[in-house]
Each structure stands twice: as C-alpha cells, then as structure tokens.
Amino acid sequence: KQEVTQIPAALSVPEGENLVLNCSFTDSAIYNLQWFRQDPGKGLTSLLLIQSSQREQTSGRLNASLDKSSGRSTLYIAASQPGDSATYLCAVRVQGAQKLVFGQGTRLTINP
Amino acid sequence: GAVVSQHPSWVICKSGTSVKIECRSLDFQATTMFWYRQFPKQSLMLMATSNEGSKATYEQGVEKDKFLINHASLTLSTLTVTSAHPEDSSFYICSARIEGPKRNSPLHFGNGTRLTVT
C-alpha cells in the first residue's frame, strides 16, 4: 500500500528566504508525482507535475525534483513571499491506478 | 487551462436531509472524476472514482448507499450525501483529468464544498 509522508508538517520562515519542502513515498512504482497548493477553505491548485521518467520540473520560483528510486521529492521555493503562505500537498499516482495518494501536507507561513 | 467547477461552495443542512454536490469540467471532457473528502487539518482521502455511464468505484470503508454518485455526462458528476448526519460534516472536493493521449496529465481540482450538518 502506497504511503506518502510530508515533512515538516508546518514551517514558518521570514520573507525572502529560500526553502525546501519534502515528500517521501513508499512504493516507487508510480506514474507521476504532483505538487499542489491549498489555501484555507479552498480547493487545490496544481503547481508542478513530474512524470516518473523525469528528474525535475520548474515553474517560476518553484522547482520540484523527483528521485523515484529513493522515493523522495522536494519542492524548492526561491525568494519566498507572504503570498506563498498556504498548505502544500504532494501526491503520487500509483502505476495501474487512476487515483492519487496524498501526503498530509506542509503548512507554510511566510512572515513579512 | 483546465477548469473544474464545483457547486455549491458551502452548504448547511439539517440532520436527516440529503445534499447534492455538483462537479463540472468546464472546458474538457472527463470520463473519470474523483471525489475526495478532507477533514480539518488533514489530507485528502479518496472516497470514490466516478465513471461516466457506469457505476462508481468506492474506496474501502465508504458507504455507497450513503454517498450516491452519478456521472451522467462527460462533463458532470454529482455526489449526493443521503440522510446526512453531523459526522458527515467535512470538505468535499472533486477532481478530473483531461482524457485522451495525455494519460499522465495532471489532476485538476474544484474549489471544494464545505458541508455542515446541524
């Protein structure tokens, strides 16, 4: 059974800092891994999608890496801004299945 | 980009009544949609996979007679919470993936529905 873990559960940093969020999964047989952002009381916004054959994806100040063999992914946020404050979720799509398995999320607070 | 619309965004109902939540893919067709449930400060848990024109596939522990799913068209899936109880109060989110050659395309989510049962 695939399990996804995110560390830390919460993170608070000053504005302008670079930061890394971690995601690990137990079964390396995945189609892809997706990072989402969730604002309080809202749905999910897809940030980055990494296919199992890829090592990283970049979008603006965000960079996501994937090491499938070790079951790890990181989300790097450069030059953080208060508007980046949200909960960040990673999810993997297991091979042979349509559904995503989610981690518990990291609640990020960027202090002005 | 792909947009998934969910309605209503919030609903308050009395215990024993039924509530219907709609999920629409606005600019693409979705043979398959997914219904998730999220408790406060917890992650998303898949409830069921909704298949257009056929029965939904429910995850273990989810009561199919309580959470009725209808996927009548390629752009609409509905979740009906029947005989709602306070413990059904939660945040319900639907999602869909663009079909076709992009088998590994990203999953797009609606904005969720906050259900409160009094």
Side-chain angles (χ1 to χ4, degrees), chain B residues 43-67:
Chain B
S43 191
L44 279 74
M45 297 298 295
L46 180 67
M47 298 175 65
T49 301
S50 171
N51 304 298
E52 186 267 336
S54 64
K55 292 182 179 180
T57 304
Y58 290 82
E59 294 298 301
Q60 190 174 7
V62 178
E63 300 176 59
K64 61 181 180 181
D65 294 331
K66 179 162 187 67
F67 299 100

PDB file of all heavy atoms in Angstrom, chain B residues 43-67:
ATOM      1  N   SER B  43      -5.257  15.468   5.378  1.00  0.00           N
ATOM      2  CA  SER B  43      -5.077  15.386   3.934  1.00  0.00           C
ATOM      3  C   SER B  43      -6.343  14.901   3.256  1.00  0.00           C
ATOM      4  O   SER B  43      -7.359  14.636   3.898  1.00  0.00           O
ATOM      5  CB  SER B  43      -3.911  14.450   3.615  1.00  0.00           C
ATOM      6  OG  SER B  43      -3.576  14.565   2.255  1.00  0.00           O
ATOM      7  N   LEU B  44      -6.262  14.798   1.951  1.00  0.00           N
ATOM      8  CA  LEU B  44      -7.414  14.349   1.175  1.00  0.00           C
ATOM      9  C   LEU B  44      -7.476  12.832   1.150  1.00  0.00           C
ATOM     10  O   LEU B  44      -6.468  12.157   0.940  1.00  0.00           O
ATOM     11  CB  LEU B  44      -7.308  14.848  -0.266  1.00  0.00           C
ATOM     12  CG  LEU B  44      -7.732  16.287  -0.530  1.00  0.00           C
ATOM     13  CD1 LEU B  44      -6.706  17.259   0.000  1.00  0.00           C
ATOM     14  CD2 LEU B  44      -7.935  16.508  -2.018  1.00  0.00           C
ATOM     15  N   MET B  45      -8.673  12.329   1.332  1.00  0.00           N
ATOM     16  CA  MET B  45      -8.894  10.890   1.258  1.00  0.00           C
ATOM     17  C   MET B  45      -9.863  10.608   0.116  1.00  0.00           C
ATOM     18  O   MET B  45     -10.957  11.186   0.068  1.00  0.00           O
ATOM     19  CB  MET B  45      -9.478  10.360   2.570  1.00  0.00           C
ATOM     20  CG  MET B  45      -8.565  10.544   3.768  1.00  0.00           C
ATOM     21  SD  MET B  45      -7.004   9.650   3.585  1.00  0.00           S
ATOM     22  CE  MET B  45      -7.594   7.964   3.594  1.00  0.00           C
ATOM     23  N   LEU B  46      -9.450   9.743  -0.795  1.00  0.00           N
ATOM     24  CA  LEU B  46     -10.320   9.409  -1.917  1.00  0.00           C
ATOM     25  C   LEU B  46     -11.529   8.640  -1.423  1.00  0.00           C
ATOM     26  O   LEU B  46     -11.398   7.670  -0.688  1.00  0.00           O
ATOM     27  CB  LEU B  46      -9.549   8.577  -2.948  1.00  0.00           C
ATOM     28  CG  LEU B  46     -10.337   8.161  -4.187  1.00  0.00           C
ATOM     29  CD1 LEU B  46     -10.684   9.383  -5.026  1.00  0.00           C
ATOM     30  CD2 LEU B  46      -9.537   7.159  -5.013  1.00  0.00           C
ATOM     31  N   MET B  47     -12.707   9.090  -1.858  1.00  0.00           N
ATOM     32  CA  MET B  47     -13.941   8.388  -1.498  1.00  0.00           C
ATOM     33  C   MET B  47     -14.345   7.415  -2.594  1.00  0.00           C
ATOM     34  O   MET B  47     -14.690   6.268  -2.328  1.00  0.00           O
ATOM     35  CB  MET B  47     -15.077   9.401  -1.289  1.00  0.00           C
ATOM     36  CG  MET B  47     -14.863  10.383  -0.174  1.00  0.00           C
ATOM     37  SD  MET B  47     -16.174  11.581  -0.118  1.00  0.00           S
ATOM     38  CE  MET B  47     -17.572  10.560   0.281  1.00  0.00           C
ATOM     39  N   ALA B  48     -14.330   7.935  -3.835  1.00  0.00           N
ATOM     40  CA  ALA B  48     -14.813   7.106  -4.935  1.00  0.00           C
ATOM     41  C   ALA B  48     -14.338   7.662  -6.252  1.00  0.00           C
ATOM     42  O   ALA B  48     -14.006   8.844  -6.378  1.00  0.00           O
ATOM     43  CB  ALA B  48     -16.337   7.057  -4.916  1.00  0.00           C
ATOM     44  N   THR B  49     -14.306   6.793  -7.230  1.00  0.00           N
ATOM     45  CA  THR B  49     -13.994   7.157  -8.607  1.00  0.00           C
ATOM     46  C   THR B  49     -15.287   7.081  -9.400  1.00  0.00           C
ATOM     47  O   THR B  49     -15.956   6.033  -9.421  1.00  0.00           O
ATOM     48  CB  THR B  49     -12.954   6.204  -9.199  1.00  0.00           C
ATOM     49  OG1 THR B  49     -11.774   6.259  -8.405  1.00  0.00           O
ATOM     50  CG2 THR B  49     -12.618   6.592 -10.630  1.00  0.00           C
ATOM     51  N   SER B  50     -15.625   8.189 -10.034  1.00  0.00           N
ATOM     52  CA  SER B  50     -16.874   8.297 -10.771  1.00  0.00           C
ATOM     53  C   SER B  50     -16.618   8.042 -12.249  1.00  0.00           C
ATOM     54  O   SER B  50     -15.770   8.684 -12.851  1.00  0.00           O
ATOM     55  CB  SER B  50     -17.431   9.721 -10.569  1.00  0.00           C
ATOM     56  OG  SER B  50     -18.529   9.963 -11.414  1.00  0.00           O
ATOM     57  N   ASN B  51     -17.332   7.103 -12.819  1.00  0.00           N
ATOM     58  CA  ASN B  51     -17.133   6.715 -14.214  1.00  0.00           C
ATOM     59  C   ASN B  51     -18.377   7.054 -15.028  1.00  0.00           C
ATOM     60  O   ASN B  51     -19.485   6.628 -14.681  1.00  0.00           O
ATOM     61  CB  ASN B  51     -16.862   5.213 -14.306  1.00  0.00           C
ATOM     62  CG  ASN B  51     -15.681   4.788 -13.463  1.00  0.00           C
ATOM     63  OD1 ASN B  51     -14.559   5.209 -13.674  1.00  0.00           O
ATOM     64  ND2 ASN B  51     -15.934   3.946 -12.479  1.00  0.00           N
ATOM     65  N   GLU B  52     -18.183   7.797 -16.105  1.00  0.00           N
ATOM     66  CA  GLU B  52     -19.298   8.216 -16.949  1.00  0.00           C
ATOM     67  C   GLU B  52     -20.013   6.995 -17.527  1.00  0.00           C
ATOM     68  O   GLU B  52     -19.375   6.121 -18.117  1.00  0.00           O
ATOM     69  CB  GLU B  52     -18.793   9.128 -18.063  1.00  0.00           C
ATOM     70  CG  GLU B  52     -19.904   9.745 -18.907  1.00  0.00           C
ATOM     71  CD  GLU B  52     -20.224   8.929 -20.141  1.00  0.00           C
ATOM     72  OE1 GLU B  52     -19.358   8.175 -20.602  1.00  0.00           O
ATOM     73  OE2 GLU B  52     -21.363   9.052 -20.638  1.00  0.00           O
ATOM     74  N   GLY B  53     -21.298   6.938 -17.306  1.00  0.00           N
ATOM     75  CA  GLY B  53     -22.112   5.884 -17.874  1.00  0.00           C
ATOM     76  C   GLY B  53     -22.061   4.555 -17.149  1.00  0.00           C
ATOM     77  O   GLY B  53     -22.671   3.582 -17.597  1.00  0.00           O
ATOM     78  N   SER B  54     -21.366   4.494 -16.043  1.00  0.00           N
ATOM     79  CA  SER B  54     -21.317   3.233 -15.285  1.00  0.00           C
ATOM     80  C   SER B  54     -21.259   3.523 -13.796  1.00  0.00           C
ATOM     81  O   SER B  54     -21.211   4.682 -13.379  1.00  0.00           O
ATOM     82  CB  SER B  54     -20.126   2.381 -15.721  1.00  0.00           C
ATOM     83  OG  SER B  54     -18.912   3.041 -15.405  1.00  0.00           O
ATOM     84  N   LYS B  55     -21.246   2.461 -13.009  1.00  0.00           N
ATOM     85  CA  LYS B  55     -21.255   2.637 -11.555  1.00  0.00           C
ATOM     86  C   LYS B  55     -19.927   3.167 -11.049  1.00  0.00           C
ATOM     87  O   LYS B  55     -18.866   2.866 -11.601  1.00  0.00           O
ATOM     88  CB  LYS B  55     -21.562   1.298 -10.881  1.00  0.00           C
ATOM     89  CG  LYS B  55     -22.975   0.794 -11.100  1.00  0.00           C
ATOM     90  CD  LYS B  55     -23.187  -0.513 -10.346  1.00  0.00           C
ATOM     91  CE  LYS B  55     -24.615  -1.012 -10.544  1.00  0.00           C
ATOM     92  NZ  LYS B  55     -24.843  -2.294  -9.810  1.00  0.00           N
ATOM     93  N   ALA B  56     -20.021   3.919  -9.982  1.00  0.00           N
ATOM     94  CA  ALA B  56     -18.813   4.438  -9.361  1.00  0.00           C
ATOM     95  C   ALA B  56     -18.075   3.330  -8.615  1.00  0.00           C
ATOM     96  O   ALA B  56     -18.673   2.336  -8.195  1.00  0.00           O
ATOM     97  CB  ALA B  56     -19.165   5.563  -8.397  1.00  0.00           C
ATOM     98  N   THR B  57     -16.796   3.530  -8.465  1.00  0.00           N
ATOM     99  CA  THR B  57     -15.963   2.598  -7.693  1.00  0.00           C
ATOM    100  C   THR B  57     -15.649   3.244  -6.359  1.00  0.00           C
ATOM    101  O   THR B  57     -15.010   4.300  -6.317  1.00  0.00           O
ATOM    102  CB  THR B  57     -14.659   2.288  -8.438  1.00  0.00           C
ATOM    103  OG1 THR B  57     -14.966   1.787  -9.735  1.00  0.00           O
ATOM    104  CG2 THR B  57     -13.844   1.271  -7.662  1.00  0.00           C
ATOM    105  N   TYR B  58     -16.078   2.620  -5.280  1.00  0.00           N
ATOM    106  CA  TYR B  58     -15.907   3.202  -3.957  1.00  0.00           C
ATOM    107  C   TYR B  58     -14.680   2.629  -3.256  1.00  0.00           C
ATOM    108  O   TYR B  58     -14.357   1.443  -3.402  1.00  0.00           O
ATOM    109  CB  TYR B  58     -17.151   2.935  -3.100  1.00  0.00           C
ATOM    110  CG  TYR B  58     -18.360   3.724  -3.547  1.00  0.00           C
ATOM    111  CD1 TYR B  58     -19.155   3.284  -4.606  1.00  0.00           C
ATOM    112  CD2 TYR B  58     -18.697   4.921  -2.922  1.00  0.00           C
ATOM    113  CE1 TYR B  58     -20.250   4.011  -5.028  1.00  0.00           C
ATOM    114  CE2 TYR B  58     -19.805   5.654  -3.338  1.00  0.00           C
ATOM    115  CZ  TYR B  58     -20.574   5.191  -4.394  1.00  0.00           C
ATOM    116  OH  TYR B  58     -21.664   5.917  -4.810  1.00  0.00           O
ATOM    117  N   GLU B  59     -14.027   3.481  -2.479  1.00  0.00           N
ATOM    118  CA  GLU B  59     -12.887   3.034  -1.678  1.00  0.00           C
ATOM    119  C   GLU B  59     -13.402   2.254  -0.462  1.00  0.00           C
ATOM    120  O   GLU B  59     -14.558   2.394  -0.039  1.00  0.00           O
ATOM    121  CB  GLU B  59     -12.061   4.223  -1.221  1.00  0.00           C
ATOM    122  CG  GLU B  59     -11.387   4.964  -2.365  1.00  0.00           C
ATOM    123  CD  GLU B  59     -10.395   4.109  -3.126  1.00  0.00           C
ATOM    124  OE1 GLU B  59      -9.422   3.615  -2.505  1.00  0.00           O
ATOM    125  OE2 GLU B  59     -10.582   3.920  -4.343  1.00  0.00           O
ATOM    126  N   GLN B  60     -12.524   1.440   0.056  1.00  0.00           N
ATOM    127  CA  GLN B  60     -12.889   0.617   1.210  1.00  0.00           C
ATOM    128  C   GLN B  60     -13.333   1.498   2.365  1.00  0.00           C
ATOM    129  O   GLN B  60     -12.672   2.502   2.677  1.00  0.00           O
ATOM    130  CB  GLN B  60     -11.677  -0.228   1.627  1.00  0.00           C
ATOM    131  CG  GLN B  60     -12.000  -1.285   2.656  1.00  0.00           C
ATOM    132  CD  GLN B  60     -10.803  -2.189   2.912  1.00  0.00           C
ATOM    133  OE1 GLN B  60      -9.710  -1.941   2.418  1.00  0.00           O
ATOM    134  NE2 GLN B  60     -11.009  -3.229   3.684  1.00  0.00           N
ATOM    135  N   GLY B  61     -14.442   1.136   2.968  1.00  0.00           N
ATOM    136  CA  GLY B  61     -14.941   1.877   4.117  1.00  0.00           C
ATOM    137  C   GLY B  61     -15.909   2.996   3.777  1.00  0.00           C
ATOM    138  O   GLY B  61     -16.492   3.597   4.684  1.00  0.00           O
ATOM    139  N   VAL B  62     -16.105   3.287   2.505  1.00  0.00           N
ATOM    140  CA  VAL B  62     -17.039   4.337   2.092  1.00  0.00           C
ATOM    141  C   VAL B  62     -18.385   3.696   1.744  1.00  0.00           C
ATOM    142  O   VAL B  62     -18.439   2.790   0.911  1.00  0.00           O
ATOM    143  CB  VAL B  62     -16.497   5.116   0.875  1.00  0.00           C
ATOM    144  CG1 VAL B  62     -17.503   6.164   0.424  1.00  0.00           C
ATOM    145  CG2 VAL B  62     -15.159   5.756   1.220  1.00  0.00           C
ATOM    146  N   GLU B  63     -19.445   4.170   2.382  1.00  0.00           N
ATOM    147  CA  GLU B  63     -20.771   3.587   2.166  1.00  0.00           C
ATOM    148  C   GLU B  63     -21.371   4.096   0.858  1.00  0.00           C
ATOM    149  O   GLU B  63     -21.720   5.269   0.728  1.00  0.00           O
ATOM    150  CB  GLU B  63     -21.698   3.975   3.320  1.00  0.00           C
ATOM    151  CG  GLU B  63     -21.238   3.509   4.687  1.00  0.00           C
ATOM    152  CD  GLU B  63     -22.153   4.022   5.763  1.00  0.00           C
ATOM    153  OE1 GLU B  63     -23.363   3.714   5.706  1.00  0.00           O
ATOM    154  OE2 GLU B  63     -21.696   4.759   6.665  1.00  0.00           O
ATOM    155  N   LYS B  64     -21.542   3.200  -0.090  1.00  0.00           N
ATOM    156  CA  LYS B  64     -22.050   3.613  -1.400  1.00  0.00           C
ATOM    157  C   LYS B  64     -23.512   4.024  -1.341  1.00  0.00           C
ATOM    158  O   LYS B  64     -23.968   4.819  -2.179  1.00  0.00           O
ATOM    159  CB  LYS B  64     -21.848   2.509  -2.435  1.00  0.00           C
ATOM    160  CG  LYS B  64     -22.552   1.214  -2.115  1.00  0.00           C
ATOM    161  CD  LYS B  64     -22.256   0.183  -3.210  1.00  0.00           C
ATOM    162  CE  LYS B  64     -22.962  -1.131  -2.920  1.00  0.00           C
ATOM    163  NZ  LYS B  64     -22.668  -2.155  -3.967  1.00  0.00           N
ATOM    164  N   ASP B  65     -24.261   3.501  -0.391  1.00  0.00           N
ATOM    165  CA  ASP B  65     -25.668   3.876  -0.276  1.00  0.00           C
ATOM    166  C   ASP B  65     -25.837   5.227   0.402  1.00  0.00           C
ATOM    167  O   ASP B  65     -26.898   5.849   0.302  1.00  0.00           O
ATOM    168  CB  ASP B  65     -26.435   2.816   0.519  1.00  0.00           C
ATOM    169  CG  ASP B  65     -26.501   1.499  -0.217  1.00  0.00           C
ATOM    170  OD1 ASP B  65     -26.484   1.521  -1.469  1.00  0.00           O
ATOM    171  OD2 ASP B  65     -26.558   0.442   0.441  1.00  0.00           O
ATOM    172  N   LYS B  66     -24.811   5.669   1.086  1.00  0.00           N
ATOM    173  CA  LYS B  66     -24.868   6.967   1.749  1.00  0.00           C
ATOM    174  C   LYS B  66     -24.342   8.071   0.841  1.00  0.00           C
ATOM    175  O   LYS B  66     -24.848   9.178   0.834  1.00  0.00           O
ATOM    176  CB  LYS B  66     -24.055   6.944   3.034  1.00  0.00           C
ATOM    177  CG  LYS B  66     -24.059   8.271   3.767  1.00  0.00           C
ATOM    178  CD  LYS B  66     -23.630   8.115   5.190  1.00  0.00           C
ATOM    179  CE  LYS B  66     -23.823   9.431   5.918  1.00  0.00           C
ATOM    180  NZ  LYS B  66     -25.248   9.766   6.035  1.00  0.00           N
ATOM    181  N   PHE B  67     -23.313   7.750   0.099  1.00  0.00           N
ATOM    182  CA  PHE B  67     -22.696   8.717  -0.802  1.00  0.00           C
ATOM    183  C   PHE B  67     -22.974   8.269  -2.239  1.00  0.00           C
ATOM    184  O   PHE B  67     -22.214   7.505  -2.824  1.00  0.00           O
ATOM    185  CB  PHE B  67     -21.195   8.819  -0.531  1.00  0.00           C
ATOM    186  CG  PHE B  67     -20.860   9.281   0.850  1.00  0.00           C
ATOM    187  CD1 PHE B  67     -20.493   8.366   1.839  1.00  0.00           C
ATOM    188  CD2 PHE B  67     -20.923  10.632   1.185  1.00  0.00           C
ATOM    189  CE1 PHE B  67     -20.184   8.801   3.131  1.00  0.00           C
ATOM    190  CE2 PHE B  67     -20.611  11.065   2.463  1.00  0.00           C
ATOM    191  CZ  PHE B  67     -20.249  10.150   3.438  1.00  0.00           C
TER     192      PHE B  67
END
